[in-house]
Amino acid sequence: MSDQPREQWGTRAGFILAAIGSAVGLGNIWRFPAEAYRNGGGAFLLPYLIALLTAGLPLLIMEYTIGRRHRGSAPASFRRLGKPAQFIGWWQVAICFVIATYYGLILAWAVRYVGFSVGQEWGGDAEGFLFVDFLQVGDTPGEIGGYVPGVFWPLLAVWVVVLVILALGVRRGIETANKIFIPLLVAFFVVLVIRALTLDGAAQGLDAFFTPDWGALTDGNVWVAAYGQIFFSLSVGFGIMITYASYLGRRSDLTGSALVAGFANSSFEILAGIGVFATLGFLAAGSGGAVFDTEGGLGLAFVAFPTIISEMPWGGFFGVLFFGSLVIAGLTSLISIVQVIVSAVQDRLRMARVPAVLMVGGLVALASVLLYPTEGGLYLLDAADRFINRYGIALAALVAVVFVAWILRKLPMLQGDADATSAVRLGRWWRVCLGVVTPLVLGLMLIDALTQELGENYEGYPTSFLLWAGWGVAGAALLVGILLALIPWRREDTPVAAHSDDQRSK
Amino acid sequence: MSVSAVVMLIVSIVVVWGGLLLAVLRLRAHPEVAEPPESPESHSL
C-alpha cells in the first residue's frame, strides 16, 4: 500500500524532455519521410502544419491539462473528469499494453543491427538476411513456431533496461534517462544528417523530397495523411501525455510546454526527412534509377538502409549512428508507453512503484518475450500494429474528444485551468479545434481506414488470422477497458474531493 | 536541386525550427514557479 505523495518531475525541462522523448519515436524516423514524399513532397508541409496547429497541439494541451488537473493515471484522471469516461483510460492502458509488447521487439532488432552494422553482416542481400537469417520468419501467418535466440536475448535485455529505468521512478529514472538520451539522440542525428548531406546524390534526394506538388493539396487523402502523421507522431490519444502531466506541479506551465514539445517533435521529423532522403539520393545516384517511393517502416530501416550502408564509405559508422538513433528514440518512447500501465496499476491498487513495475512490467515483458521472438512474430507484429493504431489509438482519441467536448462538456473548464498558469493563453480556437475539427478529421480517417479494410485483406493475410491478430486484438483492448471500468472502486480508493469534478459539483 | 525544392527546404526549416525557437523563448519568459512539496494526505489515490 502506498500513501506516498505523488511523484513529481524535478524540473520543467525534465518534463519537456521526457515528453519529447515520448513523442519522438520510430515513426518520426521511418514514417514521416515516406508520408511526406507520397503526399505532395514540399507541399505536404502546409497540411502538416495546419494539422499540427488545429489537432496535434490542441489534443496535446487537452491531455496535459487533464493530467495536471486530476493528478492521476489515465483511468484515474478520466474517472475524476466524469465517471462514465473512466473506460477510456482503461482502454488506453490496454492499448499501451499491446503496443509495448511489439515495440520492444523492434527495439531489439535495432539493437542487433547496431552490431550487424560494424561488419555489415547482411552481405549483399539485406532482405534475405533480415527475413531468413535473422528473423527466421515462418511461412504461415498465425503460427508461432520456434523461438529465435538472436531476437529473444536482446529483447530480454531491452526489457531489463526499461524496467530498471521505470523502477528508479519519475525523477531519478524517466527524467534522468531522457536528460541523457535526448541530447545524445540529437547529437547522433545531426552527425548522421551531415554525413548524409555530403554523400553523392544527396541533392537529388532532397530534390525528390522537397519539390512541391501543389495539386496534391486538393486531394482529401493528402489532408487525412497529414492529420494521421501528426496524430501518430505526437503520442497523443493513448494516455501517455495525461500520465506524464500528472507528475507536474499545480502551477506549472502547460501550453508553452506543449508548443515546445510539439514543435520539437516536428523539427526532428524534418531533420529525419532530410537525412533519409539525402541517403536515398545516394542509392539513386548509384543505381541510376529512382528509388524514392519507399513504403517507410521496417523495409526502409532494415532493408533499404543496410543496402545503402554497404555501398557507402564509412558505412559501418553510419550504420551505428542510424540504428543507435532508432534504439534511443524507441527506448524513450517505450518507457512512456509502459509508464501508462504502471501508473494506472499504482493508482488503482495503491501500490508502491517498484512492486507495480515488477508486476506490470513483468507481465508486459513476459507477453512480449513469449509471443514475438518467434518465427511467426513478424506477422503478429504487423497485424497488431495496423489494427491497434487504427481501431485502438485513433478510435480511443475520437471517443475521448467527443466525451470531453460534447458529453461531459469540460472544455471551458479545462481552458480556464490551462490559462491560469500557462505562458500562452488559449482562445476560442482551442475549443473549436477540439470540439469540431479534431473529431471530424479523426472520423474521416477512420471511415477511410475501414473502407480499405473491408475492400481487401491487409497484406493479403488470411481472414481467420486477421480476425484474431488484428480485429481481435483491437476489440479485446476496448473490451478490457470496459470490463476494468466496471469493477467498483472501494470507498477509500475513490478520488479525493479536491481532484474530482464529479464530487466538486455535488 | 530545383528552385522550388530549395525554397520549400528553407521554408520548412524556418517555419518548424523557428516555431520551436519562438516556443522556447516564450516559455523562458514565463519563469518556472517553485512549489512546496505536497503532503501525503492530499493523495488518497
Side-chain angles (χ1 to χ4, degrees):
Chain A
M1 288 294 177
S2 171
D3 282 318
Q4 295 293 310
R6 191 168 190 79
E7 293 181 86
Q8 268 193 31
W9 300 105
T11 58
R12 177 161 74 184
F15 161 68
I16 293 174
L17 282 175
I20 294 172
S22 171
V24 173
L26 303 173
N28 295 63
I29 299 175
W30 72 36
R31 193 174 187 275
F32 173 77
E35 283 294 306
Y37 176 75
R38 275 203 299 258
N39 292 288
F44 186 70
L45 183 73
L46 187 67
Y48 174 81
L49 280 177
I50 292 176
L52 175 68
L53 296 174
T54 59
L57 287 172
L59 263 173
L60 196 59
I61 293 168
M62 182 186 96
E63 296 201 355
Y64 279 3
T65 316
I66 292 176
R68 190 196 62 172
R69 178 180 176 85
H70 296 295
R71 319 294 306 278
S73 59
S77 287
F78 271 114
R79 187 173 194 272
R80 290 164 188 168
L81 194 68
K83 262 189 188 170
Q86 187 194 172
F87 84 95
I88 302 171
W90 288 114
W91 187 9
Q92 292 176 333
V93 169
I95 290 167
C96 285
F97 189 99
V98 174
I99 295 176
T101 56
Y102 68 74
Y103 210 87
L105 179 73
I106 303 172
L107 268 186
W109 298 352
V111 169
R112 286 303 307 272
Y113 267 72
V114 173
F116 292 157
S117 294
V118 178
Q120 290 156 41
E121 291 183 33
W122 45 78
D125 178 16
E127 188 166 0
F129 177 80
L130 172 68
F131 294 111
V132 180
D133 301 327
F134 176 50
L135 297 180
Q136 301 171 22
V137 176
D139 296 327
T140 319
E143 282 180 10
I144 298 290
Y147 279 90
V148 182
V151 183
F152 179 88
W153 292 109
L155 179 59
L156 197 63
V158 164
W159 277 110
V160 170
V161 171
V162 169
L163 297 190
V164 166
I165 290 172
L166 288 175
L168 284 171
V170 170
R171 192 179 299 197
R172 283 198 307 145
I174 301 175
E175 186 169 338
T176 307
N178 278 287
K179 278 181 170 170
I180 297 168
F181 285 141
I182 299 303
L184 192 64
L185 176 63
V186 172
F188 266 39
F189 226 79
V190 166
V191 176
L192 186 98
V193 169
I194 291 172
R195 176 70 191 107
L197 286 173
T198 53
L199 289 168
D200 291 337
Q204 196 183 337
L206 293 182
D207 204 31
F209 185 56
F210 282 105
T211 299
D213 167 16
W214 297 111
L217 297 184
T218 55
D219 180 353
N221 289 327
V222 169
W223 289 83
V224 171
Y227 277 89
Q229 176 58 32
I230 281 294
F231 186 74
F232 289 122
S233 97
L234 263 184
S235 289
V236 283
F238 45 130
I240 293 175
M241 294 306 169
I242 294 180
T243 307
Y244 270 12
S246 74
Y247 303 112
L248 282 171
R250 291 204 169 281
R251 282 183 280 170
S252 37
D253 168 273
L254 294 174
T255 56
S257 305
L259 284 170
V260 172
F263 273 105
N265 180 63
S266 292
S267 298
F268 193 84
E269 285 193 329
I270 298 282
L271 198 63
I274 293 172
V276 166
F277 269 81
T279 312
L280 290 177
F282 170 74
L283 186 62
S287 66
V291 288
F292 299 116
D293 197 9
T294 171
E295 286 284 312
L298 299 178
L300 176 70
F302 294 101
V303 178
F305 263 71
T307 307
I308 302 169
I309 286 164
S310 292
E311 290 183 20
M312 70 169 69
W314 291 76
F317 171 68
F318 189 88
V320 169
L321 283 179
F322 177 73
F323 289 108
S325 300
L326 280 185
V327 171
I328 299 170
L331 188 64
T332 49
S333 298
L334 181 60
I335 287 168
S336 69
I337 295 169
V338 183
Q339 175 62 18
V340 171
I341 319 171
V342 170
S343 106
V345 170
Q346 263 190 290
D347 281 1
R348 186 66 178 86
L349 301 178
R350 303 182 69 187
M351 267 174 122
R353 166 165 282 270
V354 174
V357 168
L358 290 177
M359 188 178 104
V360 172
L363 204 64
V364 185
L366 191 69
S368 177
V369 168
L370 284 182
L371 278 175
Y372 289 104
T374 58
E375 292 163 12
L378 182 63
Y379 298 119
L380 280 181
L381 179 157
D382 199 21
D385 180 54
R386 161 91 163 194
F387 283 78
I388 205 75
N389 268 310
R390 294 178 162 207
Y391 313 105
I393 301 177
L395 186 59
L398 175 63
V399 172
V401 189
V402 169
F403 252 83
V404 175
W406 295 105
I407 298 177
L408 302 173
R409 295 188 168 271
K410 297 288 189 189
L411 288 183
M413 179 200 78
L414 293 175
Q415 183 183 340
D417 235 37
D419 280 348
T421 59
S422 294
V424 180
R425 290 177 71 83
L426 301 170
R428 181 187 288 173
W429 67 270
W430 183 72
R431 298 201 302 274
V432 173
C433 287
L434 282 177
V436 182
V437 180
T438 309
L440 267 180
V441 175
L442 282 172
L444 279 175
M445 266 170 62
L446 282 164
I447 291 170
D448 183 51
L450 262 180
T451 317
Q452 277 177 33
E453 235 71 74
L454 299 176
E456 57 180 317
N457 277 8
Y458 173 57
E459 292 284 340
Y461 290 140
T463 306
S464 55
F465 170 68
L466 286 182
L467 274 178
W468 69 267
W471 292 112
V473 167
L478 173 59
L479 190 67
V480 166
I482 294 172
L483 289 177
L484 286 174
L486 287 175
I487 301 172
W489 294 55
R490 285 178 308 169
R491 193 167 182 79
E492 65 267 32
D493 288 338
T494 51
V496 290
H499 299 169
S500 167
D501 296 323
D502 267 9
Q503 296 183 9
R504 181 176 290 179
S505 61
K506 279 175 189 166
Chain B
M1 282 179 77
S2 64
V3 175
S4 60
V6 173
V7 169
M8 286 318 290
L9 167 72
I10 293 170
V11 169
S12 305
I13 289 175
V14 168
V15 171
V16 178
W17 294 359
L20 175 62
L21 187 68
L22 283 180
V24 170
L25 291 177
R26 182 72 188 245
L27 195 59
R28 282 172 64 112
H30 185 85
E32 213 166 340
V33 184
E35 296 183 49
E38 308 223 344
S39 60
E41 57 271 21
S42 66
H43 291 274
S44 76
L45 193 81

